[in-house]
Amino acid sequence: MNPEQHNNLDTLPDVVMPECPQRNLLRGQKALVTGANSGIGRSVALYLAKEGADVVVNYVFDDASAKEVVDEIKRKGGHAIAIKADVSNETEVQSMFASMLEEFGTIDILVNNAGLQSDAAFDEMTLEQWNKVINVNLTGQFLCAREAIREFKRRGVISEISCAAGKIISISSVHEVIPWGGHVNYAASKGGVMLMNKSLAQEVAPYRIRVNSVCPGAIRTPINRTAWETPEAYDDLMKLIPYNRIGEPVDIGRAVVWLASDDSDYINGISLFVDGGMTLYPGFAEGG
Ligand code: NAD
């Protein structure tokens, strides 16, 4: 991109993301990505596979889109299978891990990505809306992390594969720290993920298990379509993003690959904000 183009903030072009070169950073590793048939999870699954990991593509509905991700990985020479399971259901999660261990032998990387919103003004929010979001976004991450930790501890470090006995990467959100009126259940779930992960990282670090979060800002996926699909909505969104572009799923895919690889071996218990500066309080750039 011509640097001069940056001078006029109104005419910044859409960004063309460069392809990630194949480096086989994760060769021989087995990964499970929850909610991998859409948006961020899909990109994470493709990037992990690109670096040589075998990937379980978890999904809860829409067999065709899960198959499409598996086929895409296979087409590029990778190895993947799809497993259907609701991450908020203990029995389904346990049976998904049993199937993975049977098929792949073990797990090295868990990406706890599945998540949803069910928005309402606080005084209109039903208990069902509250429970749904907490059950998927927080309890779902607990159930999957618990199964992964059990296998990481059982197997321990295999140094030819990785310096660590296992890695968990949670897809949290900027809303683990930014309050979000009208979305209190969602913000509470992500705040919960933050302290669950930091506490878990502290507990399992002696076993050489690393637990980190990636906290996306606004990423162009179906979950937040209304925030970017019209020019007016996109312009409004840019007021919150100093870097002046929406995030793309590949921005998250690449961050997850790094946190899953030995390149980040001394990183444990962090929240990595991938948000174009959304957490920099952009309103203070000219105010305050
Ligand atoms: P998305 O709607 O495209 O993907 C969410 C995925 O989770 C889907 O595949 C969905 O089927 C799956 N899912 C939902 N409930 C499930 C369940 N019970 N069991 C298994 N899978 C289930 O949205 P996305 O933006 O890709 O969201 C992925 C994650 O990123 C979520 O945790 C979300 O909170 C987080 N996030 C997204 C953004 C963003 O701007 N897109 C920002 C911050 C955080």
Side-chain angles (χ1 to χ4, degrees), residues 91-276:
T91 311
E92 291 185 27
V93 167
Q94 289 181 331
S95 121
M96 170 169 69
F97 274 79
S99 303
M100 178 179 185
L101 298 195
E102 201 177 303
E103 184 73 24
F104 286 175
T106 192
I107 178 169
D108 303 284
I109 300 160
L110 166 67
V111 183
N112 256 334
N113 165 75
L116 45 73
Q117 289 177 219
S118 183
D119 308 328
F122 192 73
D123 52 339
E124 286 166 14
M125 187 176 289
T126 63
L127 180 59
E128 194 186 357
Q129 282 178 300
W130 173 267
N131 283 339
K132 178 80 184 161
V133 171
I134 298 295
N135 287 345
V136 173
N137 295 10
L138 180 57
T139 308
Q141 292 217 8
F142 157 69
L143 290 172
C144 293
R146 190 182 59 176
E147 295 310 309
I149 296 284
R150 286 174 175 164
E151 173 61 10
F152 296 160
K153 279 189 174 179
R154 183 202 66 75
R155 196 205 55 235
V157 176
I158 299 182
S159 50
E160 301 77 48
I161 297 289
S162 173
C163 305
K167 285 87 53 164
I168 294 175
I169 298 107
S170 285
I171 306 303
S172 179
S173 167
V174 289
H175 295 296
E176 72 167 45
V177 294
I178 301 180
W180 204 17
H183 312 257
V184 171
N185 47 359
Y186 184 83
S189 73
K190 298 299 187 178
V193 164
M194 175 184 67
L195 271 178
M196 178 177 76
N197 276 354
K198 289 183 190 292
S199 306
L200 177 58
Q202 189 191 58
E203 180 176 323
V204 298
Y207 300 91
R208 286 281 165 87
I209 296 168
R210 299 194 292 117
V211 182
N212 292 295
S213 295
V214 170
C215 302
I219 310 296
R220 198 195 307 258
T221 74
I223 209 175
N224 60 358
R225 183 177 297 280
T226 53
W228 52 260
E229 69 181 347
T230 64
E232 298 74 33
Y234 190 89
D235 285 350
D236 250 14
L237 184 61
M238 286 311 108
K239 292 179 194 149
L240 301 174
I241 306 176
Y243 204 59
N244 208 30
R245 74 163 169 88
I246 194 167
E248 303 293 345
V250 300
D251 289 307
I252 307 301
R254 292 193 290 219
V256 170
V257 162
W258 179 67
L259 281 175
S261 77
D262 285 349
D263 282 358
S264 64
D265 187 54
Y266 209 46
I267 311 281
N268 200 9
I270 66 155
S271 293
L272 176 62
F273 289 87
V274 182
D275 67 352

